[in-house]
């Protein structure tokens, strides 16, 4: 499904954010990308989303070289990849329903599809009763669940979560991790970037460890070891 083939990313100062990175992620896997800040996790995600180009190597999504796509083709690939960020990135003047509906509108869905799909994902993330709440009326954990619902509403094949619990307390952190595990159990591939040792050691899934832009470990049932 996802294949990084000998990928390096060098910036203008000559520093290597990623160096000779190669790995494959299969459909329905739950994979954690771990490493300290600056290890290359966020750069890897930007390359997958075609927000940046590699200095060397290729990035494939479903056999497509994402950096050979035209500007008109890239949005169709990105819709297959739901993205969740540390800072939620919700629109403050829109309700939970409207924030999720916005993703469907951008994909060209009609009002009937929106009316059917938004309540479904709100129920999936446990916020069916918060549909009309604005972001400032929700807790941090609830805001992140709205962000996850928004990432899911276009039925992506992959959910990429970039430090999704970084701004949350321990209770809300585990609610989000349990939700990501549930999404994975329902058949969606999950790619989680984190430096939270407790999360990684508890999940018991595949762990790819980065250090200085290189893959230093790739274990099927890994732990956080740096």
């Amino acid at each position: 499904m996802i294949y990084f083939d000998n990928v390096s990313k060098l910036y203008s100062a000559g520093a290597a954010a990623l160096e000779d990175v190669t790995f494959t992620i299969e459909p329905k896997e739950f994979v954690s990308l771990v490493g300290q800040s600056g290890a290359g996790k966020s750069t890897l995600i930007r390359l997958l989303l075609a927000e940046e180009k590699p200095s060397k190597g290729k990035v494939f999504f479903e056999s497509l070289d994402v950096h050979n796509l035209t500007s008109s083709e890239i949005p169709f690939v990105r819709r297959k990849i739901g993205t969740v960020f540390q800072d939620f990135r919700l629109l403050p003047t829109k309700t939970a329903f409207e924030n999720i509906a916005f993703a469907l509108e951008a994909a060209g869905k009609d009002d009937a599809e929106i009316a059917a799909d938004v309540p479904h994902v709100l129920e999936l993330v446990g916020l069916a009763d918060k549909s009309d709440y604005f972001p400032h009326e929700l807790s941090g954990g609830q805001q992140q669940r709205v962000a996850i619902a928004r990432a899911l509403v276009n039925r992506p094949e992959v959910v990429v979560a970039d430090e999704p619990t970084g701004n949350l307390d321990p209770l809300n952190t585990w609610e989000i991790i349990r939700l990501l595990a549930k999404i994975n159990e329902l058949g969606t591939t999950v790619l989680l970037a984190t430096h939270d040792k407790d999360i990684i050691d508890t999940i018991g899934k595949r762990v790819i460890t980065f250090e200085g832009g290189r893959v230093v470990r790739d274990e099927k049932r890994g732990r956080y070891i740096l």
Side-chain angles (χ1 to χ4, degrees), residues 16-33:
L18 291 175
E19 192 169 354
D20 299 325
V21 169
T22 296
F23 64 84
T24 300
I25 295 175
E26 301 292 345
K28 302 182 181 181
E29 272 199 285
F30 190 121
V31 180
S32 297
L33 308 175

Side-chain angles (χ1 to χ4, degrees), residues 39-50:
K41 304 185 302 293
S42 293
T43 298
L44 184 147
I45 290 170
R46 289 194 294 271
L47 291 173
L48 175 61
L49 296 172

Side-chain angles (χ1 to χ4, degrees), residues 33-88:
L33 308 175
V34 306
Q36 297 176 347
S37 295
K41 304 185 302 293
S42 293
T43 298
L44 184 147
I45 290 170
R46 289 194 294 271
L47 291 173
L48 175 61
L49 296 172
E51 293 176 354
E52 295 188 19
K53 289 181 177 293
S55 304
K56 183 182 76 172
K58 295 182 178 182
V59 179
F60 294 91
F61 179 77
E62 293 185 333
S63 78
L64 296 172
D65 181 345
V66 298
H67 299 101
N68 275 344
L69 300 175
T70 66
S71 57
S72 61
E73 291 171 327
I74 288 174
F76 293 100
V77 171
R78 287 179 179 167
R79 282 175 201 152
K80 296 182 178 183
I81 306 173
T83 311
V84 181
F85 301 96
Q86 178 175 336
D87 55 359
F88 317 143

